[in-house]
Amino acid sequence: MAKQKKIVRAGSEGEIPEGVGDLLDSMPADQNSKLAIYNYFVEQQLFAGHIPTNKLILVEVTNDEESGREYIIFHSLFGRRINDAISRAFAASLTEFLDMDIGIMVNDNGFVLIPEEEVKLNEKNLKKIVEEICNVGLPQIIRANLAGTELMKRKFRHVAARSFMILRNYKGHKISVKSQQFNSQLVFKAAEAINPNFPVIKETYREIMDDVMDLPRAGLVMDALKKGEIRIKLVKTPNPSPFSHNMITFGQADAVLMKDRHLHLQRLHKMVMKEIGG
Amino acid sequence: MLIGKDMEILEGLPVLYIKSIKSLVVSDLHLGYEGGMIKSGIAIPKANIKSIMETLDKAFDGRKVERLIVVGDIKNDFSSLNVEELNELGSITRALKEKEVLIDLVKGNHDNFIDGYSQSLGIRVHPSVFVLGDYLFAHGDKQLDKTDSPVSTVIIGHEHPSIGIRSKVGTVERFRCFLTGKISYSGRKTELLVLPAMGYFETGSDINLHNKRRVMSPVLRKADVDKMEAIAVGYGMALNFGRIGDLRNVEV
C-alpha cells in the first residue's frame, strides 16, 4: 500500500485523504481487492482532479461520446434517498430557468441531470440554484414537480392497489402488473379531476416524500450547502469520470417535465417542425 | 383552426364545428366508462361526464349551434345499456334540450341497445351513415356504405388518434389529434377527417408510433395514414404537426 500512496502524492498534490492506505489495510479484504479500490480512487483523482467526500459535492459537466449529449453529474455521497430528493430539486429549478425537460438518474453515490440542450453552468449559478431551493423550500419544490413523473405513476399504483381502488386479484385470476399500471393511471386521472388532494393521491405524495425520499436529511444537506459547510466544486471533463460510470449505467431513471404545459406543447411543435423541416 | 372554408377545429378541444350546417361534431364519448370499470374491479371515480360537459360548454360558447352530431360510441358497454350509461346519457340530452340542440348519433360498435331509448332520450339514431349538406358522417368501424348524395368530406371517429412525440430525455408526450387526408369514396376523391376521442379516459393510440397495419378503422386502412396530417389539440391550442409519415422517427 505504501508504495501506491507515494505514486499518487507525486502525481497530483495528494488530495487522496491521509491514512487511506492504513484504513484499507485494516479492512477484511484480500490484497488484490484493496489494490483495486485504491486504484479506483487514484484513477478518479488523476482524471477529475478531485474526489468527492461528505464535505464536497463534485459537479462534473461532461459529454456522452455516443449521443453527444451533455451530462451534469453530481457526485454527492449521501445515499439514494437523499440524492433522489435533491436531484429533483436541482432538476426542477433548472427546468424553470431554461424551459426544457430534464432527465435524471439517481443512485447511492450521486445523480446525473441530462438536459435536452447544452447548459452553461458555473459555480456561481449553481450557488444561486442552491439559494433558490432553500428559499422556496425543498418539500414545496419536490411536491410541485412530482406530477407526471415515473416515480409518481409507479407509487400511485402501489397505493391504489393497497386501498383497493385497483385489484391485484379478481374473481380468482391474477391481474398483470402492466394492466394494474394502466388501470391505476385511469384512476389517477379521475381522482385528480375530482380533487388534487384526493386521499389516495395525498397518500402517494406522503409515501414518496417520507418513505422513498429522506426529505428532512436532504434539507440538512441543502442547508449545509447554503452555509458553505458542504462545498460545491464544478469541473469540466471530456468524458465521464470513473466514479460516474456506475451512475450512468445503473441509475434509476426519471424525468422532470416542464410545468407550463401550454408552453411545452408549443415548444415541442416548434422542435418537431425544425426536425422534419416543415 | 379552420380546415377549408367551412370546418373549424375549436382551439384546444376535440370538437369540430361546421358552419354551413351549424353543427358541432364529436366522437367517442364512452359515457358510462367508469361504471364498466368498477364492474371489473377497478374503482374509478366519475370524471368523464364532467369533462365532457365542460368541453361542450366551451364549444357552444359564442357559436350558433343547432345540432350536435356524435359519430359513434356515445356509450361504452357492448353487452347492455346499463344504469350508469342511461343516467349520463340523460343528463347530457337534458342539457342539450335546454339549449334547443338536436342530437344525431351515427351508431358505433359500442352503441348497442340504444335504439329502444332513442325516443325517450331525444336522440336520432342512424344505423350506418348520416349525410347532411356536403358531409358524410360514419363511425369508421366498418367499410362506408354507399349513398346517392354527393359528398365532399367523410368524417369518422373510432380510431381515437393521438400522436406521440419522443423526447431525448426518454419520455413520450401524447396529444390527441385530428387526422386529415384523402380517400376515394364512391369512386371519387373525397376529404377524410378523423376525430379524436372526446372521452376523458380515451387518450388515444399513438398513430405515428404504431405500425401502419395496426390502424383499427378499415376506412383509415384504405387511406394511407402516412400521408395524413395530424392536428394536435390540447392546452388551449390546435397545432398542425404535419404528415404522420414524417413523425415516425422524430425525437426532439
Side-chain angles (χ1 to χ4, degrees):
Chain A
M1 277 292 104
K3 208 173 167 193
Q4 254 75 32
K5 209 152 73 184
K6 261 182 216 144
I7 295 170
V8 180
R9 287 231 167 115
S12 58
E13 297 160 22
E15 255 203 51
I16 288 200
E18 286 281 338
V20 169
D22 297 336
L23 188 68
L24 275 174
D25 276 338
S26 68
M27 299 282 175
D30 62 51
Q31 204 55 34
N32 287 338
S33 317
K34 283 177 197 166
L35 199 63
I37 296 170
Y38 196 81
N39 284 343
Y40 185 48
F41 277 77
V42 173
E43 280 165 16
Q44 174 72 15
Q45 172 67 34
L46 290 176
F47 190 87
H50 297 276
I51 285 179
T53 65
N54 59 342
K55 296 283 178 220
L56 173 74
I57 294 181
L58 183 64
V59 181
E60 182 186 346
V61 180
T62 187
N63 281 300
D64 179 29
E65 218 165 81
E66 255 174 54
S67 62
R69 301 194 47 207
E70 188 182 58
Y71 284 157
I72 307 170
I73 301 165
F74 287 68
H75 297 272
S76 89
L77 311 174
F78 302 104
R80 209 262 315 139
R81 288 180 69 201
I82 288 178
N83 285 343
D84 210 344
I86 56 180
S87 67
R88 277 161 208 278
F90 272 103
S93 13
L94 274 179
T95 49
E96 205 114 303
F97 278 131
L98 305 165
D99 283 339
M100 59 168 81
D101 294 346
I102 290 185
I104 49 180
M105 288 194 279
V106 183
N107 82 357
D108 274 335
N109 296 326
F111 55 89
V112 188
L113 302 186
I114 310 165
E116 286 181 325
E117 292 158 27
E118 222 156 276
V119 178
K120 285 207 178 78
L121 205 61
N122 54 39
E123 275 177 37
K124 213 167 146 197
N125 41 43
L126 266 177
K127 201 99 214 167
K128 239 189 228 161
I129 290 174
V130 171
E131 255 164 49
E132 159 129 357
I133 293 170
C134 290
N135 288 343
V136 181
L138 201 55
Q140 284 77 3
I141 292 185
I142 288 174
R143 160 114 204 196
N145 285 284
L146 277 175
T149 58
E150 288 302 314
L151 179 66
M152 184 76 196
K153 286 178 194 159
R154 200 171 58 237
K155 281 293 158 193
F156 185 80
R157 186 189 81 224
H158 295 162
V159 178
R162 256 196 336 258
S163 48
F164 297 118
M165 297 205 69
I166 58 170
L167 301 179
R168 281 181 279 225
N169 280 293
Y170 190 58
K171 292 180 180 169
H173 63 86
K174 272 212 167 81
I175 295 170
S176 73
V177 171
K178 192 180 167 193
S179 52
Q180 280 182 43
Q181 184 66 50
F182 182 78
N183 295 335
S184 74
Q185 264 154 258
L186 296 177
V187 175
F188 183 80
K189 272 193 86 173
E192 200 188 24
I194 290 169
N195 184 352
N197 268 323
F198 204 84
V200 185
I201 297 180
K202 220 170 148 185
E203 166 62 12
T204 309
Y205 278 120
R206 191 213 60 75
E207 179 164 321
I208 290 174
M209 310 224 304
D210 293 354
D211 299 348
V212 177
M213 297 177 187
D214 188 346
L215 270 193
R217 289 192 179 84
L220 291 182
V221 171
M222 292 310 296
D223 278 344
L225 269 174
K226 195 183 167 192
K227 283 187 208 143
E229 289 163 9
I230 295 176
R231 286 183 305 128
I232 279 195
K233 179 91 199 147
L234 189 133
V235 291
K236 286 208 160 88
T237 55
N239 310 92
S241 67
F243 276 18
S244 58
H245 295 170
N246 215 4
M247 243 182 273
I248 291 169
T249 33
F250 296 115
Q252 285 176 22
D254 204 344
V256 171
L257 306 175
M258 275 171 70
K259 257 190 291 180
D260 187 335
R261 307 311 288 161
H262 180 87
L263 213 74
H264 185 66
L265 175 56
Q266 270 179 336
R267 184 162 175 274
L268 274 181
H269 181 248
K270 221 186 202 148
M271 280 168 30
V272 169
M273 287 300 119
K274 209 171 109 192
E275 182 92 6
I276 64 178
Chain B
M1 178 185 274
L2 281 172
I3 299 186
K5 278 183 188 139
D6 199 22
M7 295 188 286
E8 185 191 357
I9 290 175
L10 305 186
E11 300 294 308
L13 305 176
V15 182
L16 182 77
Y17 179 64
I18 304 180
K19 231 186 325 182
S20 62
I21 52 175
K22 296 195 186 83
S23 300
L24 289 177
V25 191
V26 295
S27 176
D28 300 273
L29 278 67
H30 292 272
L31 295 174
Y33 183 84
E34 299 95 330
M37 292 305 265
I38 287 169
K39 264 195 207 158
S40 57
I42 302 147
I44 300 185
K46 294 218 164 128
N48 193 15
I49 179 105
K50 196 175 151 212
S51 125
I52 287 174
M53 292 291 231
E54 281 169 6
T55 309
L56 283 178
D57 277 345
K58 276 186 218 157
F60 275 103
D61 194 28
R63 287 186 185 84
K64 255 196 198 146
V65 182
E66 288 176 356
R67 196 186 287 272
L68 178 78
I69 301 168
V70 181
V71 288
D73 289 358
I74 198 171
K75 67 180 218 49
N76 190 56
D77 196 352
F78 287 111
S79 55
S80 67
L81 181 70
N82 62 43
V83 164
E84 280 92 0
E85 293 177 348
L86 214 48
N87 285 342
E88 293 185 359
L89 278 168
S91 49
I92 282 207
T93 49
R94 266 196 305 279
L96 291 175
K97 214 178 219 171
E98 272 172 30
K99 293 187 168 121
E100 293 177 353
V101 174
L102 300 169
I103 310 173
D104 282 281
L105 168 70
V106 185
K107 255 176 104 166
N109 50 333
H110 286 262
D111 296 322
N112 308 321
F113 306 99
I114 203 164
D115 307 65
Y117 291 88
S118 63
Q119 205 133 41
S120 55
L121 288 168
I123 299 178
R124 257 208 321 170
V125 180
H126 308 273
S128 81
V129 295
F130 169 48
V131 180
L132 191 66
D134 279 348
Y135 301 93
L136 179 130
F137 302 93
H139 183 50
D141 57 329
K142 319 183 268 258
Q143 294 291 359
L144 298 171
D145 284 350
K146 296 256 180 313
T147 52
D148 301 329
S149 17
V151 270
S152 69
T153 309
V154 172
I155 297 175
I156 62 168
H158 187 57
E159 188 66 38
H160 306 183
S162 69
I163 48 168
I165 306 293
R166 281 208 190 94
S167 83
K168 286 185 184 131
V169 169
T171 52
V172 179
E173 294 275 345
R174 183 177 290 159
F175 304 101
R176 292 170 203 232
C177 68
F178 286 81
L179 295 176
T180 65
K182 290 197 165 41
I183 50 159
S184 74
Y185 175 66
S186 303
R188 286 200 304 140
K189 266 231 150 118
T190 314
E191 296 282 337
L192 173 68
L193 187 71
V194 187
L195 299 191
M198 198 193 196
Y200 184 70
F201 297 101
E202 279 73 27
T203 36
S205 55
D206 308 326
I207 297 285
N208 62 322
L209 301 182
H210 291 160
N211 194 304
K212 243 199 251 186
R213 282 183 228 110
R214 274 184 60 188
V215 168
M216 286 191 298
S217 163
V219 181
L220 207 52
R221 227 173 280 153
K222 248 170 69 181
D224 189 358
V225 173
D226 277 355
K227 284 188 187 146
M228 295 186 87
E229 287 189 7
I231 299 165
V233 285
Y235 308 109
M237 290 175 290
L239 293 170
N240 191 334
F241 270 81
R243 289 171 168 207
I244 291 293
D246 294 335
L247 292 175
R248 288 208 180 268
N249 298 314
V250 169
E251 196 185 74
V252 294

PDB file of all heavy atoms in Angstrom, chain A residues 108-134:
ATOM      1  N   ASP A 108     -26.839   5.667  -5.214  1.00  0.00           N
ATOM      2  CA  ASP A 108     -26.364   5.988  -3.869  1.00  0.00           C
ATOM      3  C   ASP A 108     -25.261   7.046  -3.846  1.00  0.00           C
ATOM      4  O   ASP A 108     -25.142   7.795  -2.902  1.00  0.00           O
ATOM      5  CB  ASP A 108     -25.826   4.716  -3.204  1.00  0.00           C
ATOM      6  CG  ASP A 108     -26.938   3.941  -2.527  1.00  0.00           C
ATOM      7  OD1 ASP A 108     -27.944   4.582  -2.160  1.00  0.00           O
ATOM      8  OD2 ASP A 108     -26.807   2.723  -2.381  1.00  0.00           O
ATOM      9  N   ASN A 109     -24.471   7.080  -4.888  1.00  0.00           N
ATOM     10  CA  ASN A 109     -23.293   7.950  -4.846  1.00  0.00           C
ATOM     11  C   ASN A 109     -23.430   9.219  -5.672  1.00  0.00           C
ATOM     12  O   ASN A 109     -22.435   9.865  -5.969  1.00  0.00           O
ATOM     13  CB  ASN A 109     -22.057   7.175  -5.316  1.00  0.00           C
ATOM     14  CG  ASN A 109     -21.761   6.037  -4.376  1.00  0.00           C
ATOM     15  OD1 ASN A 109     -21.988   6.152  -3.177  1.00  0.00           O
ATOM     16  ND2 ASN A 109     -21.294   4.927  -4.909  1.00  0.00           N
ATOM     17  N   GLY A 110     -24.636   9.541  -6.071  1.00  0.00           N
ATOM     18  CA  GLY A 110     -24.800  10.784  -6.806  1.00  0.00           C
ATOM     19  C   GLY A 110     -25.974  10.723  -7.750  1.00  0.00           C
ATOM     20  O   GLY A 110     -26.778   9.801  -7.703  1.00  0.00           O
ATOM     21  N   PHE A 111     -26.058  11.738  -8.596  1.00  0.00           N
ATOM     22  CA  PHE A 111     -27.136  11.752  -9.587  1.00  0.00           C
ATOM     23  C   PHE A 111     -26.674  12.473 -10.838  1.00  0.00           C
ATOM     24  O   PHE A 111     -25.700  13.238 -10.809  1.00  0.00           O
ATOM     25  CB  PHE A 111     -28.410  12.387  -9.022  1.00  0.00           C
ATOM     26  CG  PHE A 111     -28.233  13.768  -8.458  1.00  0.00           C
ATOM     27  CD1 PHE A 111     -28.378  14.892  -9.265  1.00  0.00           C
ATOM     28  CD2 PHE A 111     -27.929  13.958  -7.118  1.00  0.00           C
ATOM     29  CE1 PHE A 111     -28.232  16.166  -8.752  1.00  0.00           C
ATOM     30  CE2 PHE A 111     -27.775  15.239  -6.585  1.00  0.00           C
ATOM     31  CZ  PHE A 111     -27.924  16.337  -7.413  1.00  0.00           C
ATOM     32  N   VAL A 112     -27.351  12.188 -11.945  1.00  0.00           N
ATOM     33  CA  VAL A 112     -26.992  12.772 -13.230  1.00  0.00           C
ATOM     34  C   VAL A 112     -28.177  13.555 -13.748  1.00  0.00           C
ATOM     35  O   VAL A 112     -29.307  13.054 -13.730  1.00  0.00           O
ATOM     36  CB  VAL A 112     -26.649  11.666 -14.256  1.00  0.00           C
ATOM     37  CG1 VAL A 112     -26.094  12.291 -15.523  1.00  0.00           C
ATOM     38  CG2 VAL A 112     -25.671  10.675 -13.675  1.00  0.00           C
ATOM     39  N   LEU A 113     -27.972  14.779 -14.179  1.00  0.00           N
ATOM     40  CA  LEU A 113     -29.017  15.542 -14.851  1.00  0.00           C
ATOM     41  C   LEU A 113     -28.698  15.541 -16.340  1.00  0.00           C
ATOM     42  O   LEU A 113     -27.565  15.781 -16.735  1.00  0.00           O
ATOM     43  CB  LEU A 113     -29.075  16.986 -14.355  1.00  0.00           C
ATOM     44  CG  LEU A 113     -29.309  17.204 -12.862  1.00  0.00           C
ATOM     45  CD1 LEU A 113     -29.480  18.697 -12.580  1.00  0.00           C
ATOM     46  CD2 LEU A 113     -30.538  16.458 -12.385  1.00  0.00           C
ATOM     47  N   ILE A 114     -29.708  15.249 -17.152  1.00  0.00           N
ATOM     48  CA  ILE A 114     -29.486  15.215 -18.595  1.00  0.00           C
ATOM     49  C   ILE A 114     -30.407  16.221 -19.254  1.00  0.00           C
ATOM     50  O   ILE A 114     -31.583  15.946 -19.496  1.00  0.00           O
ATOM     51  CB  ILE A 114     -29.766  13.803 -19.143  1.00  0.00           C
ATOM     52  CG1 ILE A 114     -29.013  12.771 -18.301  1.00  0.00           C
ATOM     53  CG2 ILE A 114     -29.321  13.699 -20.594  1.00  0.00           C
ATOM     54  CD1 ILE A 114     -29.475  11.373 -18.514  1.00  0.00           C
ATOM     55  N   PRO A 115     -29.906  17.423 -19.529  1.00  0.00           N
ATOM     56  CA  PRO A 115     -30.748  18.446 -20.154  1.00  0.00           C
ATOM     57  C   PRO A 115     -30.932  18.153 -21.637  1.00  0.00           C
ATOM     58  O   PRO A 115     -30.135  17.428 -22.238  1.00  0.00           O
ATOM     59  CB  PRO A 115     -29.959  19.735 -19.944  1.00  0.00           C
ATOM     60  CG  PRO A 115     -28.552  19.310 -19.776  1.00  0.00           C
ATOM     61  CD  PRO A 115     -28.559  17.918 -19.238  1.00  0.00           C
ATOM     62  N   GLU A 116     -31.987  18.698 -22.228  1.00  0.00           N
ATOM     63  CA  GLU A 116     -32.246  18.467 -23.655  1.00  0.00           C
ATOM     64  C   GLU A 116     -31.216  19.162 -24.535  1.00  0.00           C
ATOM     65  O   GLU A 116     -30.888  18.685 -25.596  1.00  0.00           O
ATOM     66  CB  GLU A 116     -33.642  18.982 -24.023  1.00  0.00           C
ATOM     67  CG  GLU A 116     -34.746  18.098 -23.509  1.00  0.00           C
ATOM     68  CD  GLU A 116     -36.106  18.608 -23.909  1.00  0.00           C
ATOM     69  OE1 GLU A 116     -36.308  19.831 -23.982  1.00  0.00           O
ATOM     70  OE2 GLU A 116     -36.974  17.770 -24.152  1.00  0.00           O
ATOM     71  N   GLU A 117     -30.785  20.326 -24.082  1.00  0.00           N
ATOM     72  CA  GLU A 117     -29.749  21.039 -24.832  1.00  0.00           C
ATOM     73  C   GLU A 117     -28.623  21.396 -23.868  1.00  0.00           C
ATOM     74  O   GLU A 117     -28.775  21.297 -22.668  1.00  0.00           O
ATOM     75  CB  GLU A 117     -30.321  22.341 -25.428  1.00  0.00           C
ATOM     76  CG  GLU A 117     -31.340  22.114 -26.505  1.00  0.00           C
ATOM     77  CD  GLU A 117     -32.244  23.328 -26.682  1.00  0.00           C
ATOM     78  OE1 GLU A 117     -31.800  24.448 -26.391  1.00  0.00           O
ATOM     79  OE2 GLU A 117     -33.395  23.129 -27.095  1.00  0.00           O
ATOM     80  N   GLU A 118     -27.510  21.850 -24.441  1.00  0.00           N
ATOM     81  CA  GLU A 118     -26.376  22.171 -23.592  1.00  0.00           C
ATOM     82  C   GLU A 118     -26.699  23.349 -22.667  1.00  0.00           C
ATOM     83  O   GLU A 118     -27.371  24.293 -23.060  1.00  0.00           O
ATOM     84  CB  GLU A 118     -25.162  22.499 -24.450  1.00  0.00           C
ATOM     85  CG  GLU A 118     -23.901  21.871 -23.902  1.00  0.00           C
ATOM     86  CD  GLU A 118     -22.855  21.691 -24.987  1.00  0.00           C
ATOM     87  OE1 GLU A 118     -22.904  20.684 -25.718  1.00  0.00           O
ATOM     88  OE2 GLU A 118     -22.003  22.583 -25.076  1.00  0.00           O
ATOM     89  N   VAL A 119     -26.213  23.262 -21.451  1.00  0.00           N
ATOM     90  CA  VAL A 119     -26.488  24.292 -20.453  1.00  0.00           C
ATOM     91  C   VAL A 119     -25.180  24.942 -20.048  1.00  0.00           C
ATOM     92  O   VAL A 119     -24.184  24.255 -19.868  1.00  0.00           O
ATOM     93  CB  VAL A 119     -27.123  23.646 -19.201  1.00  0.00           C
ATOM     94  CG1 VAL A 119     -27.361  24.695 -18.141  1.00  0.00           C
ATOM     95  CG2 VAL A 119     -28.409  22.938 -19.552  1.00  0.00           C
ATOM     96  N   LYS A 120     -25.205  26.262 -19.938  1.00  0.00           N
ATOM     97  CA  LYS A 120     -23.987  26.936 -19.451  1.00  0.00           C
ATOM     98  C   LYS A 120     -24.071  27.026 -17.937  1.00  0.00           C
ATOM     99  O   LYS A 120     -24.803  27.840 -17.398  1.00  0.00           O
ATOM    100  CB  LYS A 120     -23.880  28.328 -20.069  1.00  0.00           C
ATOM    101  CG  LYS A 120     -23.455  28.289 -21.505  1.00  0.00           C
ATOM    102  CD  LYS A 120     -22.726  29.560 -21.901  1.00  0.00           C
ATOM    103  CE  LYS A 120     -22.269  29.474 -23.339  1.00  0.00           C
ATOM    104  NZ  LYS A 120     -23.373  29.713 -24.290  1.00  0.00           N
ATOM    105  N   LEU A 121     -23.314  26.166 -17.276  1.00  0.00           N
ATOM    106  CA  LEU A 121     -23.395  26.086 -15.829  1.00  0.00           C
ATOM    107  C   LEU A 121     -22.051  26.512 -15.235  1.00  0.00           C
ATOM    108  O   LEU A 121     -21.001  26.104 -15.714  1.00  0.00           O
ATOM    109  CB  LEU A 121     -23.696  24.642 -15.440  1.00  0.00           C
ATOM    110  CG  LEU A 121     -24.391  24.413 -14.105  1.00  0.00           C
ATOM    111  CD1 LEU A 121     -25.749  25.087 -14.079  1.00  0.00           C
ATOM    112  CD2 LEU A 121     -24.552  22.923 -13.864  1.00  0.00           C
ATOM    113  N   ASN A 122     -22.074  27.379 -14.221  1.00  0.00           N
ATOM    114  CA  ASN A 122     -20.835  27.644 -13.479  1.00  0.00           C
ATOM    115  C   ASN A 122     -21.137  27.649 -11.998  1.00  0.00           C
ATOM    116  O   ASN A 122     -22.290  27.528 -11.588  1.00  0.00           O
ATOM    117  CB  ASN A 122     -20.193  28.958 -13.936  1.00  0.00           C
ATOM    118  CG  ASN A 122     -21.157  30.117 -13.847  1.00  0.00           C
ATOM    119  OD1 ASN A 122     -21.942  30.200 -12.894  1.00  0.00           O
ATOM    120  ND2 ASN A 122     -21.130  30.998 -14.825  1.00  0.00           N
ATOM    121  N   GLU A 123     -20.066  27.773 -11.195  1.00  0.00           N
ATOM    122  CA  GLU A 123     -20.271  27.638  -9.748  1.00  0.00           C
ATOM    123  C   GLU A 123     -21.173  28.721  -9.205  1.00  0.00           C
ATOM    124  O   GLU A 123     -21.904  28.514  -8.261  1.00  0.00           O
ATOM    125  CB  GLU A 123     -18.913  27.649  -9.036  1.00  0.00           C
ATOM    126  CG  GLU A 123     -18.293  26.270  -9.020  1.00  0.00           C
ATOM    127  CD  GLU A 123     -16.910  26.241  -8.381  1.00  0.00           C
ATOM    128  OE1 GLU A 123     -16.685  26.974  -7.408  1.00  0.00           O
ATOM    129  OE2 GLU A 123     -16.068  25.471  -8.874  1.00  0.00           O
ATOM    130  N   LYS A 124     -21.143  29.881  -9.876  1.00  0.00           N
ATOM    131  CA  LYS A 124     -21.945  30.999  -9.402  1.00  0.00           C
ATOM    132  C   LYS A 124     -23.438  30.694  -9.544  1.00  0.00           C
ATOM    133  O   LYS A 124     -24.207  30.861  -8.597  1.00  0.00           O
ATOM    134  CB  LYS A 124     -21.584  32.259 -10.205  1.00  0.00           C
ATOM    135  CG  LYS A 124     -21.698  33.523  -9.383  1.00  0.00           C
ATOM    136  CD  LYS A 124     -21.037  34.655 -10.136  1.00  0.00           C
ATOM    137  CE  LYS A 124     -21.733  35.960  -9.892  1.00  0.00           C
ATOM    138  NZ  LYS A 124     -21.363  36.967 -10.892  1.00  0.00           N
ATOM    139  N   ASN A 125     -23.842  30.218 -10.749  1.00  0.00           N
ATOM    140  CA  ASN A 125     -25.286  29.955 -10.846  1.00  0.00           C
ATOM    141  C   ASN A 125     -25.703  28.676 -10.135  1.00  0.00           C
ATOM    142  O   ASN A 125     -26.867  28.530  -9.771  1.00  0.00           O
ATOM    143  CB  ASN A 125     -25.848  30.041 -12.278  1.00  0.00           C
ATOM    144  CG  ASN A 125     -24.991  29.437 -13.335  1.00  0.00           C
ATOM    145  OD1 ASN A 125     -24.449  28.355 -13.134  1.00  0.00           O
ATOM    146  ND2 ASN A 125     -24.856  30.128 -14.447  1.00  0.00           N
ATOM    147  N   LEU A 126     -24.772  27.773  -9.872  1.00  0.00           N
ATOM    148  CA  LEU A 126     -25.092  26.632  -9.007  1.00  0.00           C
ATOM    149  C   LEU A 126     -25.447  27.133  -7.603  1.00  0.00           C
ATOM    150  O   LEU A 126     -26.396  26.685  -6.974  1.00  0.00           O
ATOM    151  CB  LEU A 126     -23.892  25.696  -8.908  1.00  0.00           C
ATOM    152  CG  LEU A 126     -23.858  24.517  -9.883  1.00  0.00           C
ATOM    153  CD1 LEU A 126     -22.572  23.742  -9.702  1.00  0.00           C
ATOM    154  CD2 LEU A 126     -25.051  23.613  -9.664  1.00  0.00           C
ATOM    155  N   LYS A 127     -24.644  28.080  -7.142  1.00  0.00           N
ATOM    156  CA  LYS A 127     -24.856  28.678  -5.827  1.00  0.00           C
ATOM    157  C   LYS A 127     -26.252  29.324  -5.767  1.00  0.00           C
ATOM    158  O   LYS A 127     -26.981  29.197  -4.800  1.00  0.00           O
ATOM    159  CB  LYS A 127     -23.763  29.730  -5.613  1.00  0.00           C
ATOM    160  CG  LYS A 127     -23.494  30.101  -4.202  1.00  0.00           C
ATOM    161  CD  LYS A 127     -22.290  29.397  -3.612  1.00  0.00           C
ATOM    162  CE  LYS A 127     -22.578  29.134  -2.132  1.00  0.00           C
ATOM    163  NZ  LYS A 127     -21.689  28.225  -1.512  1.00  0.00           N
ATOM    164  N   LYS A 128     -26.582  30.016  -6.874  1.00  0.00           N
ATOM    165  CA  LYS A 128     -27.883  30.681  -6.950  1.00  0.00           C
ATOM    166  C   LYS A 128     -29.016  29.663  -6.849  1.00  0.00           C
ATOM    167  O   LYS A 128     -30.009  29.887  -6.172  1.00  0.00           O
ATOM    168  CB  LYS A 128     -27.978  31.428  -8.282  1.00  0.00           C
ATOM    169  CG  LYS A 128     -28.207  32.930  -8.103  1.00  0.00           C
ATOM    170  CD  LYS A 128     -28.503  33.554  -9.440  1.00  0.00           C
ATOM    171  CE  LYS A 128     -27.672  34.803  -9.657  1.00  0.00           C
ATOM    172  NZ  LYS A 128     -27.595  35.189 -11.059  1.00  0.00           N
ATOM    173  N   ILE A 129     -28.834  28.541  -7.567  1.00  0.00           N
ATOM    174  CA  ILE A 129     -29.857  27.498  -7.543  1.00  0.00           C
ATOM    175  C   ILE A 129     -30.035  26.958  -6.129  1.00  0.00           C
ATOM    176  O   ILE A 129     -31.155  26.785  -5.642  1.00  0.00           O
ATOM    177  CB  ILE A 129     -29.481  26.362  -8.525  1.00  0.00           C
ATOM    178  CG1 ILE A 129     -29.614  26.859  -9.958  1.00  0.00           C
ATOM    179  CG2 ILE A 129     -30.360  25.145  -8.300  1.00  0.00           C
ATOM    180  CD1 ILE A 129     -29.138  25.876 -10.999  1.00  0.00           C
ATOM    181  N   VAL A 130     -28.906  26.750  -5.434  1.00  0.00           N
ATOM    182  CA  VAL A 130     -28.978  26.256  -4.054  1.00  0.00           C
ATOM    183  C   VAL A 130     -29.777  27.226  -3.186  1.00  0.00           C
ATOM    184  O   VAL A 130     -30.670  26.828  -2.429  1.00  0.00           O
ATOM    185  CB  VAL A 130     -27.560  26.069  -3.466  1.00  0.00           C
ATOM    186  CG1 VAL A 130     -27.642  25.778  -1.974  1.00  0.00           C
ATOM    187  CG2 VAL A 130     -26.830  24.951  -4.188  1.00  0.00           C
ATOM    188  N   GLU A 131     -29.481  28.514  -3.336  1.00  0.00           N
ATOM    189  CA  GLU A 131     -30.179  29.512  -2.532  1.00  0.00           C
ATOM    190  C   GLU A 131     -31.680  29.511  -2.826  1.00  0.00           C
ATOM    191  O   GLU A 131     -32.504  29.561  -1.931  1.00  0.00           O
ATOM    192  CB  GLU A 131     -29.599  30.902  -2.798  1.00  0.00           C
ATOM    193  CG  GLU A 131     -28.725  31.369  -1.656  1.00  0.00           C
ATOM    194  CD  GLU A 131     -27.860  32.544  -2.066  1.00  0.00           C
ATOM    195  OE1 GLU A 131     -28.402  33.497  -2.649  1.00  0.00           O
ATOM    196  OE2 GLU A 131     -26.638  32.484  -1.810  1.00  0.00           O
ATOM    197  N   GLU A 132     -31.972  29.433  -4.123  1.00  0.00           N
ATOM    198  CA  GLU A 132     -33.374  29.427  -4.533  1.00  0.00           C
ATOM    199  C   GLU A 132     -34.119  28.232  -3.935  1.00  0.00           C
ATOM    200  O   GLU A 132     -35.231  28.360  -3.434  1.00  0.00           O
ATOM    201  CB  GLU A 132     -33.441  29.388  -6.066  1.00  0.00           C
ATOM    202  CG  GLU A 132     -34.761  28.871  -6.578  1.00  0.00           C
ATOM    203  CD  GLU A 132     -35.373  29.773  -7.606  1.00  0.00           C
ATOM    204  OE1 GLU A 132     -34.797  30.837  -7.884  1.00  0.00           O
ATOM    205  OE2 GLU A 132     -36.432  29.390  -8.117  1.00  0.00           O
ATOM    206  N   ILE A 133     -33.468  27.067  -3.977  1.00  0.00           N
ATOM    207  CA  ILE A 133     -34.106  25.874  -3.426  1.00  0.00           C
ATOM    208  C   ILE A 133     -34.351  26.064  -1.934  1.00  0.00           C
ATOM    209  O   ILE A 133     -35.424  25.728  -1.414  1.00  0.00           O
ATOM    210  CB  ILE A 133     -33.237  24.620  -3.680  1.00  0.00           C
ATOM    211  CG1 ILE A 133     -33.178  24.319  -5.178  1.00  0.00           C
ATOM    212  CG2 ILE A 133     -33.801  23.411  -2.941  1.00  0.00           C
ATOM    213  CD1 ILE A 133     -32.167  23.260  -5.549  1.00  0.00           C
ATOM    214  N   CYS A 134     -33.363  26.630  -1.228  1.00  0.00           N
ATOM    215  CA  CYS A 134     -33.524  26.837   0.215  1.00  0.00           C
ATOM    216  C   CYS A 134     -34.622  27.854   0.513  1.00  0.00           C
ATOM    217  O   CYS A 134     -35.378  27.705   1.467  1.00  0.00           O
ATOM    218  CB  CYS A 134     -32.214  27.297   0.832  1.00  0.00           C
ATOM    219  SG  CYS A 134     -30.977  26.000   0.869  1.00  0.00           S
TER     220      CYS A 134
END
